[in-house]
Amino acid sequence: MPANQFAESIAHHLKYSMGKDPEHAQIADWRIALSLTVRDHIVDPWFASTRATYAGHHKRVYYLSMEFLIGRLLEDAIVNLGLMDLADGALKQFGVSLDEALADEPDAALGNGGLGRLAACFLESLSTLGVPAYGYGIRYEHGLFKQSFVDGRQKEAPEDWLQQDHVWEFERTESAYTIGFGGTVATKGKSAVWTPDEAVIAQAHDTPIIGWAGRWANTLRLWESRSTKLFDLDRFNAGDYAGAAEPEAWARTISRVLYPDDTTDEGKRLRLKQEFFFTAASLRDIIRRYDYEFDDISKLSDKVAIQLNDTHPAIAGPELVRILHDEKGLAFDDAMACAQKCLNYTNHTLLPEALERWSVELMSDLLPRHMQIIEQIDDAHHKAYPKRTVTLHDEHQVKMGELAFVMANRVNGVSALHTGLMKETVFKDLNALHPNRIVNQTNGVTPRRWLLSANPRLSRLISDTIGTAWVDDLEQLGRLEAQADDAGFMERYTAAKRDNKAELADWYKATHGVALDPEAMFDVQIKRIHEYKRQHLNILEAIALWLEIKGNPNADWTPRVKIFGGKAAPGYVFAKEIIYLINSVAAVVNADPVTSKVLKVVYPENYNVTLAERLIPAADLSEQISTAGKEASGTGNMKFALNGAPTVGTLDGANVEIRDLVGAENFFLFGMTADEVVARREVTDHAAKAIEADPRLKRALDEIAKGTFSGGDRDRFKSIVANLSGADYFLVASDFSDYWRAQREADSAFADRGAWAKMALMNTARSGWFSSDRTIRGYMADIWGAKSVTADL
Ligand code: 26Q
């Protein structure tokens, strides 16, 4: 398309789709007009994809997830459609900067962290690979809260991504389902009739997800809850205006806000309602589409593969059985077998407190028919496996992990280590009964967003060196290894990182008023704040380092900037204390004239996908320091490695596989293994012993206790000090000494810039396996039995 035509299309949309006079258009208006123009380029491939799927009667993959952490969409679409130069040139004609337009888009944060971001990477890879697929989730009016710091403490404010026109979605008024709750069950022969006493409407909104090179587009279908009645006219006419709007307001609460908790099983009725709401609507939609195309419902699994992203949609098991048995008339056992062939479950955590359980009372009250079916599933499972029984409910609770497992064809973990631990721990008994059901699918990340678009400098160098095929064949990066001895290439590789760091420093100075030295090592830890992720281990090391530098200021220190990013669940008190401590340490350390040239601690507010895209390309060192056995996989770790930041990390999650691939010599390993962690917990006073054995750790804790970071207030961080010197469940103290050692090794390595650049390059060159394209191929082959349709075209 010629540049003029592209510009004309923008002008046309501004005027006729948006009713804006270009004279008065703001940056948001230009951004939306550009989005509408780009969107026009998506529609044809989108329709073609749907038609090809129907024409070939292909199997479809359905990815059910409570969370899709998609971030901004415009740049992704422009990059995948190859429209960057056109868009840039066209906006210039109007005197508008493309960068500013891209930066104006709100970041869609319909997720908490890794699980939600994984779902977003998977959607993009499914489209890139040309697999017929739908993502199904909830269209939250408010995504993850906005984080700010007030005097160092986290403050939450509502997120409002839908304040401006959101032109990426199409509302489908014809796709709406009534979803019931509560009520009664009447028996009818062998099956039952459920009559709910409360109902809401699930209204579909579709967002096309375009794959690389615009070859294929799938749909993300998000459900919005609406009232079945518009408003109560009688109450309105009686003058009760607030009361009249109540049914509408009440129904809408289901899709009002994303649960910001990723630790505790919130015992909330609303959460269970959200789960059933989107799962039931999605299943109805899936079956409607199947019925339109095929006759024999018992063959559903030939054409339908459903992936449950954790247990949040696990009610899909009983709901699908209910539809097949109560509504479609299959015998109960046939209904159960049919559902099992369609469903698959991904586990993302082994932390006991994060495994979902619902009380039998709540389940019976909200979903009475489903509770009966859960009992029947349990009985059927017991009958089939009489020797060992695994009950789906004990202590009057329904265990959603067990339910998802029993109702799944395949169950998967998200890294080799995690899958192994699943078999040995939470699902030990079920694994013994169903030895082939658990499979591993190590996570991956989309290289289009996390390299091509987030790191244009490095991408350009890669494409200049090995061509552009790496973009959808990431293992081609291996060819970069041969460049390690080419001085010209290494100079450009180093320059790309230096320029990314300078850009980050400029942004930080402009937004936070603090200067960062781009020559220093940028040491980055970005992820949700959690005790098991051990941000407190990192900040303790910062304190110890600060003290060490103060004691010997003229030594040859490797300058470091420690960068933190991440949100704490609003109800997670200890995580919020860690944030407060990091900010308090930053304030003291950054103001110290003796040390501030070689050590800074910074914590930009409101970490999100957009900030990750800024930080990762500028990182020198990737902090992946969780207690071994606790991080299911990690995906940030992969993004850093790909962008040339070696890891300092434990043998946890996918770190293990990263180290195997990039080479032990290009990874700063420290800490106990998962087995050693279990053994160490048995040692009496393990924390006290570790502190006694390491004077640096002792001093660091003493400084906190003395009030050095709290204006002399000795009580402020009492809970942290008490935890770390007491129970210390996540073994921060026991891993400290080895962490310190690994960090000093990183310091020395960084001082040799040439050698460091080679380590970084090996991380880039050997991380191609961590593409989510590889992960999706694994799911296609081992779990879904789905095919790439573009591969046949
Ligand atoms: C549960 C009940 C009630 C409210 C909220 C929740 C809830 C919400 C989100 C529970 C868990 C989550 C998110 C978990 C998560 O993000 N896990 C991460 O998944 C990544 C993708 O597989 C892994 O890489 C990370 O290791 C894992 O922590």
Side-chain angles (χ1 to χ4, degrees), residues 67 112-116 118 259-266 271 275 310 312 346-349 354 356 358 414 443 532-533 630-635:
E67 307 193 3
N112 276 291
L115 165 151
L118 184 74
Y259 264 82
D261 207 320
D262 62 353
T263 42
T264 51
D265 182 346
E266 278 279 319
R271 169 87 186 182
E275 295 185 354
D310 216 291
H312 316 152
T346 306
N347 173 280
H348 296 269
T349 182
E356 280 193 298
W358 294 108
V414 289
N443 285 167
Y532 84 81
K533 293 176 190 279
K630 296 294 172 195
E631 189 69 88
S633 164
T635 46

Side-chain angles (χ1 to χ4, degrees), residues 669-672 694 734-743:
L669 178 70
F670 78 96
M672 290 174 278
D694 189 334
S734 299
D735 263 347
F736 181 88
S737 304
D738 205 31
Y739 181 51
W740 173 271
R741 175 205 49 79
Q743 289 286 25

Side-chain angles (χ1 to χ4, degrees), residues 114 136 139 167 217 295 306 312 385 527 708 729 763:
Y136 276 115
R139 182 179 180 272
V167 299
D295 293 328
I306 298 171
H312 316 152
Y385 299 92
K527 48 184 82 250
T708 303
Y729 183 76
N763 272 268

Side-chain angles (χ1 to χ4, degrees), residues 222-411:
L222 299 179
W223 302 105
E224 178 193 22
S225 65
R226 298 231 179 119
S227 171
T228 48
K229 312 192 264 274
L230 268 185
F231 63 95
D232 190 330
L233 192 57
D234 292 340
R235 282 164 91 175
F236 186 88
N237 287 337
D240 178 9
Y241 305 122
E246 233 172 59
E248 172 71 359
W250 180 238
R252 284 193 184 255
T253 55
I254 291 184
S255 61
R256 184 97 66 207
V257 21
L258 167 78
Y259 264 82
D261 207 320
D262 62 353
T263 42
T264 51
D265 182 346
E266 278 279 319
K268 291 268 163 67
R269 198 180 166 86
L270 181 58
R271 169 87 186 182
L272 183 56
K273 273 187 151 180
Q274 286 186 328
E275 295 185 354
F276 180 68
F277 164 77
F278 99 96
T279 304
S282 307
L283 286 176
R284 293 267 291 279
D285 209 36
I286 292 166
I287 288 177
R288 177 196 51 79
R289 197 172 292 116
Y290 179 86
D291 282 344
Y292 172 81
E293 214 178 339
F294 308 101
D295 293 328
D296 186 353
I297 193 73
S298 70
K299 296 205 172 117
L300 190 65
S301 67
D302 289 353
K303 299 296 173 186
V304 168
I306 298 171
Q307 193 67 36
L308 307 179
N309 199 21
D310 216 291
T311 55
H312 316 152
I315 198 68
E319 172 65 0
L320 188 50
V321 172
R322 190 192 65 79
I323 295 171
L324 295 172
H325 179 54
D326 292 356
E327 294 182 4
K328 301 278 184 186
L330 295 191
F332 186 86
D333 290 348
D334 296 339
M336 190 169 148
C338 177
Q340 278 169 324
K341 278 196 243 160
C342 297
L343 297 167
N344 306 284
Y345 154 54
T346 306
N347 173 280
H348 296 269
T349 182
L350 303 173
L351 296 183
E353 66 271 28
L355 297 174
E356 280 193 298
R357 286 161 172 253
W358 294 108
S359 82
V360 171
E361 287 79 48
L362 177 57
M363 188 69 86
S364 312
D365 187 41
L366 216 50
L367 302 168
R369 178 60 184 143
H370 298 79
M371 192 60 233
Q372 292 177 344
I373 292 173
I374 291 169
E375 308 268 10
Q376 268 179 283
I377 291 171
D378 211 5
D379 291 346
H381 190 253
H382 283 177
K383 237 186 268 155
Y385 299 92
K387 270 200 230 138
R388 309 170 71 147
T389 53
V390 179
T391 174
L392 302 181
H393 54 99
D394 56 10
E395 295 156 20
H396 233 53
Q397 290 189 318
V398 182
K399 302 192 274 184
M400 300 307 271
E402 279 76 355
L403 176 61
F405 190 114
V406 165
M407 288 307 296
N409 180 47
R410 288 281 177 274
V411 175

